[in-house]
Amino acid sequence: MNARATYFASVSNGRRAVDVLVLGSLFVIALLGFQTVYGGIQYVLTGLMALVLATLVALIAARFRWGPLRTAPLMLLVYFLFGSMFAAPTHALWGIAPTLGSLKELLFAPVTSWKAALTIAPPVGTAQGVLVVVWISMLLLALFSMTIVMRTRLYVVAWLFPLALLLVSVVFGTTEATWPVVRGVLFAVISVAWLTWRFESGRLDSARSTIISDTVRPGSWKNPVLRRRVIGGAVIMAIAAGAAVGAQSLLDPPSGTIRHAVRDYVTPPFDPRQYVSPLTEFRGYLKNQRDAELFTITGVTGGEKVRLATMDQYDLHVYNVAGGRDKDAPEGAFLRTAGGVDLHEASGSQRTSTVTIGAYSGVWMPTLGERTNRIDLGDLPPERSGALAENLYLNEKSQTAVNSSGLRAGDSYEVGYEPYSDLTVEQRRTAKFADIDLPPNARLGPEFAQLADEWVGGVDTDYDRFQNLSRHIKQDAFYSNGIDEDDTASLSGHGYSRLWSMLQDVGFDKEKSDAAPTGRIGDEEQFAVLTAVMAREIGIPARVVMGFEVPEGAEGTVAITGDDVTAWVEVAFEGLGWVRFDPAPDDDQDPTQPKPKEVEEPMPQVAQPPPPPAEPPSPPPGATSEDKPQDEDPPEETRSWVVYAAFAAVPVLLLFLALTGIVVAKVVRRRRRRARGALPDRIDGGWQEILDLLTDMGRRPDPIRTRSETAAMLEGEVPGAGAALLASRADRAVFGPDDLPPVVVEEYWEQVAAARRSMTASVPWHKRMRALFSLRSFRRRSAERRAHRRRERAAARERSQAERRAHAMRRRRAPVSGVGGTGSSRGSSKRKGRS
């Protein structure tokens, strides 16, 4: 008996080719949406090959009527066999052949590549498995779409998969779209034409009667009805497409107002606050690595500055490298950056230098110029190259590059950058301070601001204002780092006390090696910080940059040593960017003890008697109570306003009582948790207070999470709350075998109170007030119990369904010999009866 004919066999090759061609075109249009994410053409090649391979797999599976158990292994083979070439080329041998590294990346990429593609600043390049997003999306969506259109009549469902790829490109895209109107019009025109053709073809093919000749097939082009509809529809779509393309300027939304990118809301994984400010190691280079070759750099000349890190936030202790979660924040964000891609469009003056690491170690990467356009990793072993590529970060606002894995001897990378150029005389004359936001500095006190105001003077230009400030700081100042024996004592560091001492009169003792001098004595570290913080006190946008200066007379390939370390100040000017200033005085002055100035005694002043008080003016008639005529019979005093005031005060009083009751209820609940029950219950009550505060602040914790997971989430939002320690101590108290002394409970609750204060301090005042009077925490436990019961019921239903399926399977697999044997015995008994 012949097998039943499939839908695939009943469709003509022409119709099948049209379906594949149309769906392939829609997939390609959707694929181009990744252009702003990847850049270049590598992702296009990856997507096209995934589309071709998925179509071939779907065609083979439809031809031989394969099910999922046969199609899935073939897709896995395609994924790993060709994935090294098209999705993981950085780990493949010669970029083509699979290796253990590429196969490992493909194995973990379905889990890790999605986050990597969202956390790397576009263009994301090809490292870290980011191409797997296109590879997997195209393979799976194209396979499903082609399989459905080849094996079923659900062509509308097949059309949804190219639309899904379009949505994926939007999710992983940026705020900029690639030809949005052109791609949208093409996608709409092709979709409408194909869907209409499939619908009309199916309707005419199934028609029982027609008004045309019997020799003409209803779905044939000779059918005049079909021909008129096709031509009319094509004309209408052409007119609509032309109108849409012509009105593109009107259809495009304003830049940055409509389109939002998911990557802008993903928290960057690098936090500079976890690392010590590089400026604190300034004296270390001079003391310990003065003659050591830190790194070599090519293509530079004497006097050029090499940027190590930009410090833009002062906290009275150190000048820190700031970095937040939002790239548009004043401090910017350290976003993961792909190597070997153009971060900016290069100008005609772009230069390229190669940095080769020697004795230098750290996470901060030396760069040059005022803007980094490209970072290419050098010829390194695959393991080291992969580690550098996966940990490369760049803060666009501060132009600070970081490799979180740490640089070490032998590492090499190439930097393409825009060189820095000094301002012209005309630019200095017209320069205006930029109106930009910077990370807030800690306040130094009114003395710094008063001195800064005096020193800037009354000049006309902003450039001269800052020059006056810098000139007064360097006036009567002396350069010394206190390292050599004949140097004047000069303390390291740039905390508040060190800066305050620099504003005092010069005082020191050459005979004492541990002297703590006062006055403006220091090196680039102290003078750069003092200049920047005083500028910030009067609203001048300034920051400190630490780096190295190429020795004078050097050119070409230059070795940078610790003796070349320096620091400078950058000030932002409107339309000119960040302008560099040298804050330190010349190092050829020897400070001397100043002579005390003779202060002339002031002449005694005689106090003058105060002037006599002025006579009060005469009031007009009737202004005083004596002049007013007395009423013989005063009118009755009305109390209607009292009634109205009482009615108006009732809602206010009720609201006040309700809010007070909420606060009192929370206090009573807190005291009961702290004082009642066993010691583990009291400690768990402290942890419940943390969860209640989270709930009241609008961040209800997931009941499925453990204490450690909730603490990790809380530490990411409020780093100083100490939630991890509270969670671990609560776990030990609840699940630990040892008994705890009562003093541990009081100590734990004190830590809970401190954590609650840190959590409330991290939000604005209006959110603190809302959390204080919120009732969410009273409903949290009941909501968790209801959710727990729902999960138990769902699990019970799943178990019941599994048992029913298992029972049905056992019945299907049960032997049928008993039934057959009964029938045979009945037949034999009948035959015996006949005989």
Side-chain angles (χ1 to χ4, degrees):
M1 184 175 181
N2 296 331
R4 182 175 58 90
T6 62
Y7 176 77
F8 177 82
S10 64
V11 174
S12 65
N13 292 332
R15 219 276 297 280
R16 191 181 302 118
V18 171
D19 292 340
V20 171
L21 182 61
V22 168
L23 290 177
S25 301
L26 296 179
F27 275 113
V28 172
I29 294 173
L31 176 65
L32 295 178
F34 292 98
Q35 175 65 33
T36 58
V37 181
Y38 291 93
I41 62 171
Q42 179 64 42
Y43 83 96
V44 178
L45 180 61
T46 300
L48 290 178
M49 290 306 302
L51 176 61
V52 171
L53 293 173
T55 303
L56 290 177
V57 172
L59 185 62
I60 293 173
R63 171 63 180 83
F64 297 101
R65 304 175 63 180
W66 284 0
L69 295 180
R70 293 183 180 180
T71 307
L74 181 58
M75 281 299 297
L76 288 176
L77 179 63
V78 169
Y79 174 79
F80 285 102
L81 184 61
F82 296 96
S84 298
M85 182 189 308
F86 300 109
T90 56
H91 290 85
L93 183 62
W94 304 307
I96 299 175
T99 62
L100 291 178
S102 65
L103 294 178
K104 181 180 178 181
E105 183 172 301
L106 290 171
L107 182 62
F108 292 103
V111 179
T112 61
S113 62
W114 314 98
K115 182 179 180 181
L118 287 175
T119 55
I120 297 178
V124 299
T126 59
Q128 307 178 50
V130 292
L131 285 174
V132 177
V133 174
V134 175
W135 181 247
I136 291 181
S137 300
M138 184 64 83
L139 277 179
L140 294 180
L141 295 177
L143 175 66
F144 293 148
S145 180
M146 298 300 180
T147 299
I148 291 173
V149 80
M150 290 181 186
R151 306 176 73 165
T152 69
R153 292 181 172 85
L154 304 176
Y155 53 89
V156 178
V157 177
W159 170 81
L160 294 177
F161 290 95
L163 186 63
L165 184 65
L166 191 66
L167 296 178
V168 172
S169 68
V170 172
V171 171
F172 286 89
T174 64
T175 54
E176 298 179 0
T178 305
W179 309 317
V181 175
V182 176
R183 290 174 50 240
V185 169
L186 285 177
F187 195 95
V189 168
I190 295 175
S191 299
V192 171
W194 179 67
L195 293 174
T196 304
W197 173 70
R198 285 296 307 267
F199 174 78
E200 287 294 329
S201 297
R203 187 179 67 83
L204 293 176
D205 286 340
S206 61
R208 294 176 176 268
S209 62
T210 60
I211 59 175
I212 60 176
S213 174
D214 296 337
T215 60
V216 178
R217 188 171 55 87
S220 173
W221 181 250
K222 296 180 179 180
N223 185 346
V225 177
L226 178 62
R227 189 165 59 247
R228 285 195 300 269
R229 291 181 178 179
V230 170
I231 295 175
V235 171
I236 292 174
M237 287 191 294
I239 295 174
V245 174
Q248 180 174 354
S249 59
L250 301 176
L251 297 176
D252 285 340
S255 177
T257 58
I258 300 298
R259 187 180 177 94
H260 299 277
V262 176
R263 62 179 63 252
D264 294 338
Y265 302 95
V266 177
T267 304
F270 180 81
D271 186 2
R273 293 173 296 181
Q274 299 178 357
Y275 298 87
V276 179
S277 172
L279 196 58
T280 60
E281 303 176 359
F282 190 91
R283 292 283 177 92
Y285 288 106
L286 296 173
K287 290 182 179 180
N288 306 322
Q289 295 180 303
R290 195 164 194 171
D291 299 323
E293 183 178 303
L294 300 178
F295 54 88
T296 60
I297 189 167
T298 64
V300 293
T301 58
E304 284 193 60
K305 287 181 169 59
V306 180
R307 183 190 306 267
L308 189 64
T310 301
M311 280 65 65
D312 42 16
Q313 189 171 37
Y314 186 65
D315 62 0
L316 301 182
H317 301 286
V318 293
Y319 227 121
N320 287 311
V321 179
R325 302 180 180 181
D326 185 5
K327 67 178 182 180
D328 296 325
E331 64 273 16
F334 282 87
L335 300 180
R336 189 174 285 177
T337 304
V341 298
D342 292 327
L343 306 176
H344 300 280
E345 184 177 355
S347 66
S349 60
Q350 174 177 293
R351 291 165 55 182
T352 303
S353 296
T354 301
V355 180
T356 303
I357 303 299
Y360 172 78
S361 62
V363 298
W364 316 103
M365 300 179 64
T367 57
L368 297 100
E370 61 182 6
R371 190 185 71 187
T372 300
N373 292 337
R374 184 184 179 99
I375 299 178
D376 290 299
L377 300 179
D379 187 12
L380 300 173
E383 297 80 8
R384 185 57 185 164
S385 178
L388 291 177
E390 293 174 1
N391 296 278
L392 182 62
Y393 299 87
L394 179 67
N395 190 322
E396 286 287 351
K397 292 216 170 179
S398 65
Q399 285 299 305
T400 301
V402 167
N403 197 285
S404 59
S405 65
L407 299 176
R408 64 190 187 191
D411 290 343
S412 176
Y413 56 93
E414 190 177 83
V415 180
Y417 61 95
E418 298 294 333
Y420 174 79
S421 58
D422 292 322
L423 300 184
T424 63
V425 176
E426 179 63 22
Q427 288 175 332
R428 295 179 183 181
R429 188 180 64 83
T430 59
K432 298 292 183 182
F433 292 133
D435 185 14
I436 60 174
D437 293 329
L438 290 175
N441 280 355
R443 302 295 297 179
L444 296 175
E447 298 84 0
F448 287 84
Q450 292 174 2
L451 283 176
D453 275 327
E454 295 176 6
W455 289 348
V456 295
V459 293
D460 296 333
T461 66
D462 286 349
Y463 186 89
D464 290 337
R465 291 183 65 202
F466 184 80
Q467 283 284 58
N468 281 355
L469 175 63
S470 179
R471 188 180 301 112
H472 276 85
I473 291 177
K474 289 189 284 187
Q475 184 178 359
D476 298 329
F478 307 100
Y479 185 94
S480 174
N481 49 38
I483 295 178
D484 297 332
E485 294 182 358
D486 55 346
D487 286 345
T488 303
S490 174
L491 297 180
S492 62
H494 49 275
Y496 174 79
S497 59
R498 182 69 172 92
L499 300 186
W500 175 251
S501 67
M502 295 181 70
L503 299 182
Q504 312 305 313
D505 293 333
V506 176
F508 60 91
D509 188 354
K510 284 188 175 181
E511 303 299 329
K512 294 183 179 180
S513 60
D514 59 346
T518 59
R520 291 193 284 281
I521 301 176
D523 53 16
E524 290 90 346
E525 175 190 357
Q526 289 77 39
F527 284 103
V529 174
L530 180 62
T531 304
V533 297
M534 292 192 72
R536 290 289 303 277
E537 284 292 315
I538 57 175
I540 298 177
R543 64 189 187 186
V544 176
V545 182
M546 177 184 168
F548 303 89
E549 185 175 0
V550 179
E552 291 293 339
E555 190 171 357
T557 301
V558 180
I560 302 298
T561 64
D563 193 42
D564 301 322
V565 68
T566 186
W568 62 92
V569 177
E570 290 185 347
V571 178
F573 289 94
E574 194 69 37
L576 302 175
W578 292 93
V579 180
R580 298 175 180 177
F581 294 89
D582 185 7
D586 296 334
D587 56 359
D588 56 356
Q589 301 183 39
D590 184 24
T592 57
Q593 183 71 30
K595 295 180 181 180
K597 298 180 180 179
E598 296 181 359
V599 181
E600 297 181 359
E601 296 182 0
M603 296 295 293
Q605 297 180 356
V606 180
Q608 299 294 329
E615 296 182 359
S618 299
T624 60
S625 59
E626 290 78 8
D627 298 331
K628 289 182 180 180
Q630 299 292 332
D631 295 332
E632 297 179 358
D633 296 324
E636 294 183 1
E637 184 178 358
T638 177
R639 290 182 173 81
S640 59
W641 65 271
V642 178
V643 178
Y644 295 144
F647 278 112
V650 169
V652 177
L653 181 61
L654 293 177
L655 178 61
F656 176 78
L657 292 177
L659 296 179
T660 304
I662 294 173
V663 175
V664 171
K666 291 184 178 181
V667 172
V668 172
R669 181 182 62 185
R670 189 178 304 120
R671 290 181 177 178
R672 293 183 61 184
R673 287 174 173 173
R674 185 170 184 172
R676 294 187 181 182
L679 293 183
D681 296 336
R682 292 160 65 184
I683 290 181
D684 180 70
W687 178 254
Q688 295 300 324
E689 284 294 315
I690 299 293
L691 299 183
D692 286 344
L693 181 57
L694 269 177
T695 305
D696 289 335
M697 294 172 68
R699 294 173 291 180
R700 177 176 295 178
D702 191 348
I704 301 179
R705 289 181 177 176
T706 62
R707 292 189 182 92
S708 301
E709 293 173 345
T710 304
M713 179 271 295
L714 183 57
E715 282 289 342
E717 299 179 357
V718 188
L725 178 61
L726 293 175
S728 62
R729 297 189 67 178
D731 286 338
R732 180 180 178 185
V734 175
F735 303 108
D738 51 339
D739 296 330
L740 300 176
V743 68
V744 174
V745 177
E746 298 300 322
E747 180 183 357
Y748 185 84
W749 272 90
E750 292 176 0
Q751 294 174 351
V752 168
R756 286 172 57 88
R757 287 193 295 269
S758 300
M759 292 168 61
T760 55
S762 65
V763 297
W765 67 270
H766 59 89
K767 292 187 177 180
R768 290 197 295 268
M769 297 300 295
R770 186 171 61 183
L772 178 64
F773 303 115
S774 175
L775 294 172
R776 294 190 184 101
S777 59
F778 291 100
R779 303 189 299 267
R780 179 178 64 86
R781 301 300 292 271
S782 60
E784 290 179 359
R785 286 192 294 268
R786 289 195 299 269
H788 180 67
R789 288 194 295 268
R790 286 196 298 268
R791 290 194 298 270
E792 287 182 345
R793 289 194 296 268
R797 287 196 299 269
E798 292 178 358
R799 288 194 299 268
S800 178
Q801 293 175 0
E803 290 175 358
R804 287 197 298 268
R805 288 194 297 268
H807 181 66
M809 186 175 296
R810 286 194 298 269
R811 292 182 59 185
R812 287 195 299 269
R813 295 181 178 179
V816 296
S817 58
V819 178
T822 305
S824 302
S825 60
R826 290 177 179 175
S828 60
S829 62
K830 288 182 180 180
R831 287 192 295 270
K832 289 180 180 180
R834 292 193 189 98
S835 61

